[in-house]
Amino acid sequence: MKNIKRKHLKLRNLLKKRDENLFDYFYNPPGSVPGTLRIEADAAPPEIELIDYDVDKVVRLANLTPQECKNHLETESVSWVDVSGLGNKELLQELGIVFNLHPLILEDIVNVPQRPKIETYPNQLVIITQMVMLKEQEKGFHLEQVSLVLGKEFLLSVQEEPELDCLDPVRNRIEYNKGRIRHKDADYLAYALWDAIVDGFFPVLEVYGERIADLEDELISDPTNESLGEIYQIRRELLALRRAIWPQREAMNILLRGESPLFGADAQIYLRDCYSHTIQIIDIIETYRELASGLMDVYLSAVSNKMNEIMKLLTIISTIFIPLTFIVGVYGMNFNPETSAMNMPELNWAWGYPVVWLVMILITVVLVYFFWRQGWFKNIGASKRI
Amino acid sequence: MKNIKRKHLKLRNLLKKRDENLFDYFYNPPGSVPGTLRIEADAAPPEIELIDYDVDKVVRLANLTPQECKNHLETESVSWVDVSGLGNKELLQELGIVFNLHPLILEDIVNVPQRPKIETYPNQLVIITQMVMLKEQEKGFHLEQVSLVLGKEFLLSVQEEPELDCLDPVRNRIEYNKGRIRHKDADYLAYALWDAIVDGFFPVLEVYGERIADLEDELISDPTNESLGEIYQIRRELLALRRAIWPQREAMNILLRGESPLFGADAQIYLRDCYSHTIQIIDIIETYRELASGLMDVYLSAVSNKMNEIMKLLTIISTIFIPLTFIVGVYGMNFNPETSAMNMPELNWAWGYPVVWLVMILITVVLVYFFWRQGWFKNIGASKRI
Amino acid sequence: MKNIKRKHLKLRNLLKKRDENLFDYFYNPPGSVPGTLRIEADAAPPEIELIDYDVDKVVRLANLTPQECKNHLETESVSWVDVSGLGNKELLQELGIVFNLHPLILEDIVNVPQRPKIETYPNQLVIITQMVMLKEQEKGFHLEQVSLVLGKEFLLSVQEEPELDCLDPVRNRIEYNKGRIRHKDADYLAYALWDAIVDGFFPVLEVYGERIADLEDELISDPTNESLGEIYQIRRELLALRRAIWPQREAMNILLRGESPLFGADAQIYLRDCYSHTIQIIDIIETYRELASGLMDVYLSAVSNKMNEIMKLLTIISTIFIPLTFIVGVYGMNFNPETSAMNMPELNWAWGYPVVWLVMILITVVLVYFFWRQGWFKNIGASKRI
Amino acid sequence: MKNIKRKHLKLRNLLKKRDENLFDYFYNPPGSVPGTLRIEADAAPPEIELIDYDVDKVVRLANLTPQECKNHLETESVSWVDVSGLGNKELLQELGIVFNLHPLILEDIVNVPQRPKIETYPNQLVIITQMVMLKEQEKGFHLEQVSLVLGKEFLLSVQEEPELDCLDPVRNRIEYNKGRIRHKDADYLAYALWDAIVDGFFPVLEVYGERIADLEDELISDPTNESLGEIYQIRRELLALRRAIWPQREAMNILLRGESPLFGADAQIYLRDCYSHTIQIIDIIETYRELASGLMDVYLSAVSNKMNEIMKLLTIISTIFIPLTFIVGVYGMNFNPETSAMNMPELNWAWGYPVVWLVMILITVVLVYFFWRQGWFKNIGASKRI
Amino acid sequence: MKNIKRKHLKLRNLLKKRDENLFDYFYNPPGSVPGTLRIEADAAPPEIELIDYDVDKVVRLANLTPQECKNHLETESVSWVDVSGLGNKELLQELGIVFNLHPLILEDIVNVPQRPKIETYPNQLVIITQMVMLKEQEKGFHLEQVSLVLGKEFLLSVQEEPELDCLDPVRNRIEYNKGRIRHKDADYLAYALWDAIVDGFFPVLEVYGERIADLEDELISDPTNESLGEIYQIRRELLALRRAIWPQREAMNILLRGESPLFGADAQIYLRDCYSHTIQIIDIIETYRELASGLMDVYLSAVSNKMNEIMKLLTIISTIFIPLTFIVGVYGMNFNPETSAMNMPELNWAWGYPVVWLVMILITVVLVYFFWRQGWFKNIGASKRI
């Protein structure tokens, strides 16, 4: 019993943790002034990093203030301003002024998480994305909003948390001049970041592929109550993943139709590649979801089959022993053989007792043979499986 | 038994109350003259409030008559006429004349609830919306139609009930000149009201998120018959929510395509933000619906599992005791040992009785070991769970 | 047993009657000449009524012949020719000549029921609709085709049955000059009729809303086998309703896109209202269908739960009494205490019998406590519920 | 047992026969030269019939060669060449030359069955259709491809089998000058044939309507294992029907959009009628599919209900008799009343035996009353139903 | 038990093998430079074969280097360069230079498997396809990416594995001048290869048609636990097939809309044929998926039915013998007939024993008749079936 309770506690904690940010969404109190920013109490203070580069040079500065960024924005080189952490309202508002952001843009950036989308403004293009990262010591994943604001010569990216992101490879490509990124404009940088974010879904999906494969094995060899929980959990988490990636596909589609002049034809060719990865991710998620729901059918059948095995055992035992018990009951009756020759004369027959045994053995053999013919013994030992 | 009946009564009352206005719809008797108004007997008498404002000034007047409103409509400032309550046919018809409403508009406004929609007339834009509000002392929510009629310099809003609405924050923003609302036209006001109405769905959804999370915990630790009722109730109420928000999305979409000249480009940018909230709400509802239907699968499996546990207990008891009962039945037979040496000689053996006990204990041990190997004892104590 | 059979007969008859015309459709023998008319043997003879009206006057004539109608068609006033009954081939063909109907139009009008649709011909617009009417003394509804042929100054309506229709309110509006109908053209009349037909779905839907609410109560308090039949029946009838209304929506949509010059802009505004009723009807039907399929899940769970209750009772009884029966069996054995001190000395102990009772009572108490702890007694009395 | 095996054999044969051509499709070995013709060994030799007609005259010739057809093609009258049977490669290739068919057309015509579709070539329009015919002596239907090639003044139709088709009524209409067919062009003929083919679905659907109605009755009065097979079979065959008709709808739609100059405006009006029949057929199929899947739910519930009935019977018997058996067991114990006054004094009481009977009758009455209150006796007699 | 374990091992291995490449997908580490190539350690070294042909001549060369190919590309004849194997990064990069491939193209070709798609570049058209081949000695199939790069006068095809492909028939058609291929351009060659790849799905589907038919037979005659595994496996593999073919349909659709100038009108006519095969394949897959999910329903019902049979047997045995055992128990009681005339006088009646037997036989006959009337004996022998 204790064992079970502990298991339940474990499961419940698991669920709690999983829920942390899986189906989160943001809303201001109804009727708020549009553009109201809400800073959460435990939000990390923003750290601003700037990477300013062109073909020939690259400058990387950390811990800047919005004002310090301003000078770099006016140069012709590409300026990538990366803000991590949303814990300072004034700083964020200052940022909005420096970058000349529409109040609604700033709201979408700060009040996380928003649904991924694209918004085109006269001189700016806003891309709201969701980054996914595997948790390190437990199952499941984190979702984190990354907002990209693309201007003529700059790119502003804003993340929820300063700790971890999947953008380091892009930083390195700029710093060490790998690939074409230093030769390209800010729109290519936007593509590169988005591509890194989208490709970040693949390692997560791989984990789910493995979990489904493990479940398949488990349901065949030894399905348990926890298998059911695992199926539900997988369906749930895939739902959250789909929710994060699906709107990004729509957003890309809008860009690929060339609706923003800020996103050039060359970068579009690259984005097309990123788009096809997105399609593939959605494809895999849908496939996994169908597999998971097929597994639910298998689980239900397995539970029914197990019931059949239990019932078979009960029926075999009962069918054999109930008639025998009846027979021995008969000869336990106390009719008085002395009052009449018809009253249980068997009791006084010399061969009475052995004959009764013979009859009972015969009945047993016949019934066992019947059940064996029916194939009922085949899976008795197997009922452990569920 | 009493306990159960009381529970049922409680549940039934709950259902009754829930039903109050969840799936309501209005219809006139077939063949009615178009534009027929139907006043319900218990409808509250209309209260008319006017807020007339521009950048510099704001006037707020309560308890007006339609005629008194008329003067304000002709000024250049924005006039917001808010009517709450639908209990006076003449007054509503007078309102129709003052605002020059098409009979079909008036019908849609008065005969509530209609399906949310948008209707464009030459000088007027009609927006039918549904406002959602959590009930205060019980589960569930109210739905209430809010109709907005947007003209060149005025906005007419009509609500079913005078008591409560979620528009106070907008009134305050006008009165205390918060945000940009005093600088904008009537279309911005229409946006602001609609935004407040749409954002009113979020707190309601939050409650459902929590109810689903609670159900997950409950189904894992101690699922009951009431869990089933709760799942059905959640699915039902989400259905009603979807029915209220989905057509609003369509309506916004039409406006965003710029089909009404009354709704300017600037207000459209803001409406776009509101539209993306609507999409998010629909998204969350669909997600919750999928989670709820996954929970139904979990519940069904849990019920089957519980049956298995019960059957296991029965089978263990039967399989152990039925053979033992047979054995003691054998030595309860009354064959006469005196007529033949073959008639139950065991009865007279010195060690007969102890040997029988030994055999029975042996059988028990073997069977218990068999069941233990099968893992049948693991969950016996757990069958309480359902 | 008798009782049950009677119930089944009742149900079967119910089904038969329901089927009467629910999923009916018409087809001519494959390869027939297009335009072939088929008159059913029991069809009622057609009755022709004419209402000729303009702003100033109204003429209402019954029992005309097609030729008598002809004179009225050429006047400028609107002529509504209403034909009820399809039992006379020659008359219907004459009608076709008088109104100059394309053979395919006549075929669609006479060979009922057709799928609702709209057909535009150079000078005529054909609208095939389905009218729904509640049955008077039993559950369910009738479906009846109403065909409307709209010309420049006339409207021809053709119904299957002369008995009943839902168009009387429109006739009255013309005769007593209620609303705007006498001021409008034939296209407005077509709208008015169609609107009456569409609004006729609402009272029917209301009945289904109530039946679903009743079922919800029933499934919670006392679900029976008949609940299942009722769920199936509701799903079935909603399917038929959807089949009748869905194509009408498509047809209206075509008209609203302005594809027929016969249907003017003013009438289109009114039709838009009718269209939004149609959308609402479809919406309600889909909602009810989802509720009904949710009820099926509830029913299945309820049946499983009931099985659990039955099994619990059996398990409690068996688990308590089988061990006791074993114990009394032990002391019913006939081992001879005289041959050895080890042979059932208990039988001769002074306290033997009371001790056995004590042991048995102890076992019972322990098991009852165990089951009580498991909560198995809670719902025993409740198994009546299904 | 024999009975059962025979039943299974019957079912399996049924399945075999059903499968004959239900889900058939054709493919050439991958990588074949496009236009490769494959003649099946048992294909019937082609028979060519020609009907050449205009308003004034009609010529009907059988057993022609392709060359003999050629002369008729050049006249202005409409020439309908009907080929039945696909068993002669050379003849079919010759046909391709005479009619100037693109190799891909010929491939589609000869390598049956193809998916219904429409192909437009500069001077030719190819319509691939599926004809359905009820089997005569058993359940189920045949599917047969009919290909129509429409040219300026001719129509070529090719069928798989020479035996039967549903085109005779059209032949008669031409020969006996019924309807307008002799006044119209080849495109009208194409319409007339396609219309006959599409209308051929109705009688088949009618059979399914009846089978579903029978199943409904059966599931309510006496559902059996075979009901399940029948449901599956109906779903399967409806799937095949849908597969045959759905693509024809798409094909018609393309024609109705006026994409082929060969198919004139007048014939399009008629085709529109045929199109609406196709929609209706699809509609009915979908309705039947939904009904069939609703029946599956009913069947599953019925099986569960039956289990409940069986369990109830078992539980009633066990709950009543197990305690009684315990009681009689108690008084079968052999405690020695002589060693102590406490050892089973009941055995020597004057009223012992009658009192025991009284107690047992009392217990029985109480339990029977309890079960009666629970309503468990109501359906015992009804468990035969499944 | 051993037997079972072996079965499980077999099944698990089957699953493992099936998984090999069924739901595979490729991804680079997030943030990689676009165009990064990843060579797997066990990839086969590429073999390059060239077929250079026009109407008059054909040259076939094996084991070339990319540079050697270069000369042939500049001639006017069509050059088909076929690369099999992806195990040499430098060679593949060289290939990219020779054919002037965009880095993203090369990435799609080398980093397999990608989702099938089409990419249009100024002078090149890239088609990514999936080839399917049946495994030779076991169930299931291989999926292998084939990439086609179409230029003005050349076609580059790249396959994963050098061993097997389904393109030999095309090679033969070129070499032995079968069909029109030598008369056509490189776009026709691209069509021919794609057609061969698409037609390769048919033999695989045929296997699934047979497996489903076998399952139908099996589920009717003798459904087992393995049937369930087989259903799941079929659904899984059909899912993988759909995933491979569905995007190819989209890709063809883009080509058929004429979006690439490299793909001429003539080749488009042929591609249309290939497209309709693709549609048919998707159609068949969907049909099979529906059949497979119908089979799941049948399986679940079969399991429930089997449970019913088991329960019936148990109930028959219990219902007959439990009352009899009670009766014999009664006369095993030891009430002392000597203390009172009411104490079990039956024991001393002359006909006591035979009368008891008579009563018991009567009870048995009545119960057997009752069960027979209920039809419970019909299927007892049939429970072996599952």
Side-chain angles (χ1 to χ4, degrees), chain B residues 8 27 307 311 331 348 353, chain C residues 206 307 311 334 336 346:
Chain B
H8 284 168
Y27 67 93
M307 173 82 81
M311 290 307 306
Y331 295 105
N348 291 312
Y353 184 57
Chain C
E206 199 158 33
M307 174 83 81
M311 290 306 306
N334 297 321
N336 197 344
E346 306 96 322

Side-chain angles (χ1 to χ4, degrees), chain A residues 248-263:
Chain A
Q248 300 199 39
R249 180 188 153 278
E250 289 171 29
M252 274 181 214
N253 211 358
I254 291 171
L255 266 195
L256 285 179
R257 285 201 305 264
E259 298 200 357
S260 170
L262 284 164
F263 211 88

Side-chain angles (χ1 to χ4, degrees), chain D residues 75-254:
Chain D
T75 63
E76 282 212 352
S77 54
V78 177
S79 311
W80 172 18
V81 178
D82 183 42
V83 181
S84 318
L86 297 170
N88 185 330
K89 197 173 181 176
E90 291 70 34
L91 193 145
L92 291 164
Q93 282 171 329
E94 202 183 325
L95 205 72
I97 295 164
V98 167
F99 283 89
N100 194 21
L101 303 177
H102 192 284
L104 290 174
I105 299 186
L106 201 61
E107 188 187 354
D108 284 343
I109 289 172
V110 175
N111 297 344
V112 293
Q114 297 285 329
R115 195 174 183 260
K117 61 177 173 180
I118 215 159
E119 297 279 352
T120 55
Y121 288 87
N123 292 308
Q124 285 173 347
L125 175 70
V126 185
I127 304 170
I128 307 286
T129 71
Q130 293 273 349
M131 176 162 66
V132 67
M133 275 169 308
L134 281 171
K135 290 187 183 171
E136 291 201 359
Q137 280 162 359
E138 24 173 352
K139 284 183 169 187
F141 53 84
H142 288 290
L143 283 173
E144 187 181 328
Q145 173 168 330
V146 180
S147 316
L148 306 177
V149 182
L150 174 67
K152 193 83 198 103
E153 294 293 343
F154 70 88
L155 183 84
L156 170 68
S157 64
V158 185
Q159 307 174 40
E160 288 182 50
E161 300 285 340
E163 277 139 39
L164 259 180
D165 64 24
C166 59
L167 306 179
D168 273 338
V170 180
R171 289 193 191 93
N172 292 338
R173 276 155 59 193
I174 297 174
E175 202 158 4
Y176 305 119
N177 199 359
K178 281 194 284 188
R180 292 161 218 82
I181 196 161
R182 291 263 289 269
H183 302 257
K184 304 273 184 177
D185 274 341
D187 54 356
Y188 185 89
L189 177 61
Y191 146 73
L193 295 180
W194 204 355
D195 192 46
I197 288 166
V198 164
D199 283 356
F201 280 80
F202 282 112
V204 176
L205 282 179
E206 200 159 32
V207 171
Y208 287 91
E210 277 159 24
R211 282 170 74 181
I212 287 173
D214 287 354
L215 258 180
E216 280 169 353
D217 286 5
E218 201 178 307
L219 284 182
I220 281 162
S221 61
D222 184 18
T224 63
N225 214 353
E226 287 169 55
S227 314
L228 174 65
E230 174 77 352
I231 296 173
Y232 179 69
Q233 199 170 330
I234 286 176
R235 286 169 79 172
R236 213 167 168 279
E237 293 176 23
L238 288 173
L239 203 56
L241 275 181
R242 192 179 61 156
R243 218 175 138 237
I245 192 72
W246 188 267
Q248 301 199 39
R249 181 189 152 278
E250 287 170 31
M252 273 183 215
N253 211 358
I254 290 171

Side-chain angles (χ1 to χ4, degrees), chain E residues 35-61:
Chain E
T36 307
L37 306 187
R38 200 170 64 182
I39 305 300
E40 287 195 35
D42 60 343
E47 297 173 11
I48 303 182
E49 191 198 52
L50 177 120
I51 304 184
D52 195 76
Y53 65 90
D54 59 15
V55 185
D56 304 316
K57 67 159 193 5
V58 56
V59 178
R60 189 165 173 176
L61 303 166

Side-chain angles (χ1 to χ4, degrees), chain A residues 300, chain B residues 295-305, chain C residues 297 300-302 304:
Chain A
L300 282 169
Chain B
L295 284 177
M296 187 56 108
D297 284 350
V298 173
Y299 179 79
L300 282 170
S301 313
V303 170
S304 289
N305 274 328
Chain C
D297 285 349
L300 282 171
S301 314
S304 289

Side-chain angles (χ1 to χ4, degrees), chain E residues 36-162:
Chain E
T36 307
L37 306 187
R38 200 170 64 182
I39 305 300
E40 287 195 35
D42 60 343
E47 297 173 11
I48 303 182
E49 191 198 52
L50 177 120
I51 304 184
D52 195 76
Y53 65 90
D54 59 15
V55 185
D56 304 316
K57 67 159 193 5
V58 56
V59 178
R60 189 165 173 176
L61 303 166
N63 295 320
L64 300 182
T65 64
Q67 285 304 333
E68 289 166 350
C69 294
K70 204 171 180 181
N71 309 324
H72 291 274
L73 297 184
E74 283 146 19
T75 63
E76 282 211 354
S77 55
V78 178
S79 313
W80 172 18
V81 178
D82 184 41
V83 181
S84 317
L86 298 170
N88 185 330
K89 199 175 179 175
E90 291 69 33
L91 193 146
L92 291 165
Q93 282 171 329
E94 202 183 327
L95 204 72
I97 294 164
V98 167
F99 282 90
N100 194 20
L101 302 177
H102 191 284
L104 290 173
I105 298 186
L106 201 61
E107 188 188 355
D108 284 343
I109 288 172
V110 175
N111 298 342
V112 293
Q114 297 287 327
R115 194 175 184 260
K117 61 177 174 179
I118 215 159
E119 297 279 353
T120 55
Y121 288 87
N123 292 308
Q124 285 172 348
L125 175 70
V126 184
I127 305 170
I128 307 285
T129 70
Q130 293 272 350
M131 175 162 67
V132 66
M133 275 168 308
L134 282 171
K135 290 188 182 170
E136 290 202 0
Q137 280 162 359
E138 24 174 351
K139 283 183 170 189
F141 53 84
H142 288 290
L143 283 173
E144 187 181 328
Q145 173 168 327
V146 180
S147 316
L148 306 176
V149 181
L150 174 66
K152 193 84 197 102
E153 294 292 343
F154 71 88
L155 183 85
L156 169 68
S157 64
V158 184
Q159 307 175 40
E160 287 182 50
E161 300 286 340

